[in-house]
Amino acid sequence: SLLGPPATLTFRARYREFPAGSRLAGAWRVTLLRAEHLPARDHLTKTSDPFAVLSAGSADGRLQFRQQTSVLERNLSPQWDETFELPLAREAQALARGLGASAPGLGDHASDLLLREEAQAWQVDAALAKWSALLDEANRLMLRARSDLGDAMLGATQCSDRSLASF
């Protein structure tokens, strides 16, 4: 044929089920190995700068996972050999609870931060700004808690040192 052989993508996927008591039901491990015979998109160099995108979504379409491989410049048969883990929650609210446990208040906003694949650029920017602000606030609270804990420990140590000195 005039167009050459068809383009192909080679990948490996494996599902691992987790123990019954786990918050996760399991995880898909997907390795994007390579592509071959990709069409040249740069007409000057007759090459492409390819990358692959792995996306998955929940059955109701509310939650989306999207990751991409590295870009391999000027390559029509890239070899990525990059692995991605896609965890599956045992129940729908597990993400919000996990976020809330790791950073108080963060889980309350989980649904605001997860976008549909067809989200507009301004929606992505707004969600990223909100996520960044929430993480900054969570980090600030954690640093303050550590500082308070450190002050309390320092006070206890000084008290302990004084009582030892009186012996």
Side-chain angles (χ1 to χ4, degrees):
S1 112
L2 293 173
L3 299 176
T8 61
L9 175 67
T10 305
F11 66 94
R12 182 175 45 241
R14 185 179 74 123
Y15 181 74
R16 293 181 308 143
E17 194 167 323
F18 292 165
S22 174
R23 286 183 275 180
L24 296 174
W28 282 100
R29 177 172 278 191
V30 179
T31 302
L32 298 175
L33 297 167
R34 66 184 163 278
E36 294 176 320
H37 312 296
L38 296 177
R41 295 295 185 209
D42 184 336
H43 299 294
L44 291 175
T45 63
K46 304 287 187 222
T47 63
S48 289
D49 297 336
F51 61 91
V53 175
L54 176 65
S55 61
S58 62
D60 65 5
R62 287 185 52 224
L63 305 176
Q64 294 288 321
F65 171 91
R66 185 173 194 258
Q67 289 287 307
Q68 86 174 40
T69 63
S70 56
V71 175
L72 298 178
E73 295 179 2
R74 296 186 174 111
N75 196 329
L76 298 180
S77 293
Q79 295 204 10
W80 293 288
D81 198 20
E82 294 183 29
T83 301
F84 302 91
E85 287 270 336
L86 289 85
L88 301 177
R90 196 164 298 282
E91 56 182 278
Q93 291 302 314
L95 174 64
R97 280 197 313 277
L99 287 171
S102 65
L106 201 55
D108 301 338
H109 303 282
S111 62
D112 300 338
L113 303 172
L114 300 168
L115 300 172
R116 294 185 182 279
E117 189 171 355
E118 64 272 4
Q120 300 293 318
W122 68 269
Q123 292 170 309
V124 173
D125 291 342
L128 288 173
K130 186 172 189 174
W131 180 254
S132 180
L134 289 168
L135 287 174
D136 286 346
E137 176 64 14
N139 190 42
R140 188 182 62 73
L141 292 171
M142 188 171 21
L143 289 174
R144 186 172 68 201
R146 282 185 181 165
S147 175
D148 292 346
L149 179 62
D151 291 345
M153 290 178 70
L154 180 61
T157 302
Q158 289 172 344
C159 178
S160 174
D161 288 345
R162 272 183 272 172
S163 51
L164 285 175
S166 64
F167 283 108

